[in-house]
Amino acid sequence: RGDGECQSGNPYEAAMAAGGFKLGKLKVILDNNDLQIDGRVSEIMPLGDIAKMWEALGWRVRRCDGHDVAVLLSVMDAMKKDNDMPQLLIADTVKGKGVSFMEHNADWHSDKITRELAVVALREAEKPLCSCKAAKASFLPVDELHKLCGKN
């Protein structure tokens, strides 16, 4: 689910039902990047305090940096243990993070990338796997991570 989708009635009707029926095994991740296909959510139809809205519907709400894989996995692990009410994880993200011409740009919901831009994007987004936060949360053995990032 994305933050822009929360402007329509259907997600809230479903969320209200889930909270009302205490569907504790239901877990939702909300990609909160303030962008929808035609611009900024905050300018088109501001959502206000989205956490408070979902809490009012009977949900337990958690929030984290949606780019930090280790934190995401930790929060999702905690959510698995909590089954008394539905849960929402608000993952704060930046659309196109790490690629200068894509960051905070709503056009990349549907734009097609050229070969030239793909090369730029891959160069800008490339990070060594072994030194990133995701390595701590990786399901791969350390030797496999080293192979992927070019270490022997």
Side-chain angles (χ1 to χ4, degrees), residues 71-110:
V71 170
L72 275 168
L73 290 173
S74 174
V75 172
M76 287 189 283
D77 191 48
M79 289 171 73
K80 283 192 279 188
K81 298 170 188 167
D82 232 346
N83 291 314
D84 61 326
M85 61 196 309
Q87 294 179 68
L88 174 72
L89 170 55
I90 300 173
D92 294 314
T93 63
V94 172
K95 185 166 205 59
K97 185 172 173 84
V99 180
S100 61
F101 60 90
M102 289 182 170
E103 278 194 12
H104 303 287
N105 187 337
D107 292 341
W108 289 101
H109 268 78
S110 59

Side-chain angles (χ1 to χ4, degrees), residues 42-149:
S42 57
E43 295 170 0
I44 295 165
M45 180 66 67
L47 295 171
D49 188 335
I50 198 163
K52 283 185 181 177
M53 287 191 300
W54 283 75
E55 287 169 349
L57 295 172
W59 289 62
R60 179 167 293 115
V61 177
R62 300 167 194 257
R63 182 174 223 133
C64 74
D65 176 351
H67 298 290
D68 190 326
V69 176
V71 170
L72 275 168
L73 290 173
S74 174
V75 172
M76 287 189 283
D77 191 48
M79 289 171 73
K80 283 192 279 188
K81 298 170 188 167
D82 232 346
N83 291 314
D84 61 326
M85 61 196 309
Q87 294 179 68
L88 174 72
L89 170 55
I90 300 173
D92 294 314
T93 63
V94 172
K95 185 166 205 59
K97 185 172 173 84
V99 180
S100 61
F101 60 90
M102 289 182 170
E103 278 194 12
H104 303 287
N105 187 337
D107 292 341
W108 289 101
H109 268 78
S110 59
D111 271 2
K112 293 185 176 127
I113 194 163
T114 64
R115 180 178 293 280
E116 294 77 23
L117 285 177
V119 169
V120 173
L122 288 169
R123 188 177 319 116
E124 288 183 10
E126 189 175 84
K127 305 272 188 288
L129 287 172
C130 296
S131 64
C132 76
K133 293 175 185 174
K136 294 177 188 170
S138 176
F139 59 90
L140 294 172
V142 175
D143 59 325
E144 289 295 317
L145 281 173
H146 286 293
K147 285 179 191 173
L148 287 171
C149 67

